[in-house]
Amino acid sequence: MKPNISIQKQQWAILASFTALLLISISCSSESEDLLPPPSTDRCEDSNASLSSDIIPILQQNCAVSGCHVAGTGRADFSVAENIIQFASQINANTQAGTMPPSGSGRSLSSEQKELIFCWVGGGAKDN
């Protein structure tokens, strides 16, 4: 008697699914998280990020430009320091995620600029 190939395929599919599920559950276990190194606490330790000398120039060059974050656009006006401070968390979230400046704008932030924003916001988004 010849084995049914369709049943064999089903058995292999079940075995493959079970194996994939097992690997996912192992990789998501809390034990694997315990093996990760703790997040760096000194990422911004040496940073002296300043609103006036670091953040404003970055935003003036990449955000507070015609048609974007300036007066009259309906968006937060980043040519005003108080607005930058008020929206610091959103600025940080959007720049870290790479959604701002938008890809179609022809503008982009370097990793150093993103790090300055991150550290300035992490340090309290001070008017310094």
Side-chain angles (χ1 to χ4, degrees):
M1 185 192 259
K2 218 173 178 184
N4 188 338
I5 294 177
S6 176
I7 293 175
Q8 286 179 338
K9 285 182 180 180
Q10 288 176 343
Q11 289 172 338
W12 279 110
I14 291 170
L15 181 60
S17 297
F18 177 75
T19 303
L21 183 61
L22 180 63
L23 289 172
I24 291 170
S25 68
I26 290 171
S27 67
C28 293
S29 73
S30 62
E31 291 174 10
S32 64
E33 290 176 13
D34 293 339
L35 300 176
L36 294 174
S40 175
T41 56
D42 63 351
R43 177 174 173 185
C44 297
E45 187 175 36
D46 295 331
S47 177
N48 294 327
S50 162
L51 175 65
S52 60
S53 64
D54 297 312
I55 307 307
I56 288 176
I58 293 169
L59 297 183
Q60 284 177 339
Q61 181 182 9
N62 295 285
C63 308
V65 295
S66 178
C68 289
H69 290 280
V70 292
T73 60
R75 296 182 186 101
D77 182 354
F78 292 158
S79 63
V80 177
E82 292 79 21
N83 291 344
I84 295 170
I85 294 168
Q86 179 183 351
F87 291 98
S89 292
Q90 288 103 336
I91 292 168
N92 185 46
N94 290 333
T95 56
Q96 298 306 309
T99 57
M100 287 292 168
S103 59
S105 71
R107 300 174 189 282
S108 64
L109 300 181
S110 68
S111 56
E112 293 81 15
Q113 290 171 318
K114 290 180 183 182
E115 191 71 5
L116 282 168
I117 293 169
F118 176 84
C119 292
W120 174 72
V121 172
K126 298 175 186 163
D127 187 358
N128 56 357

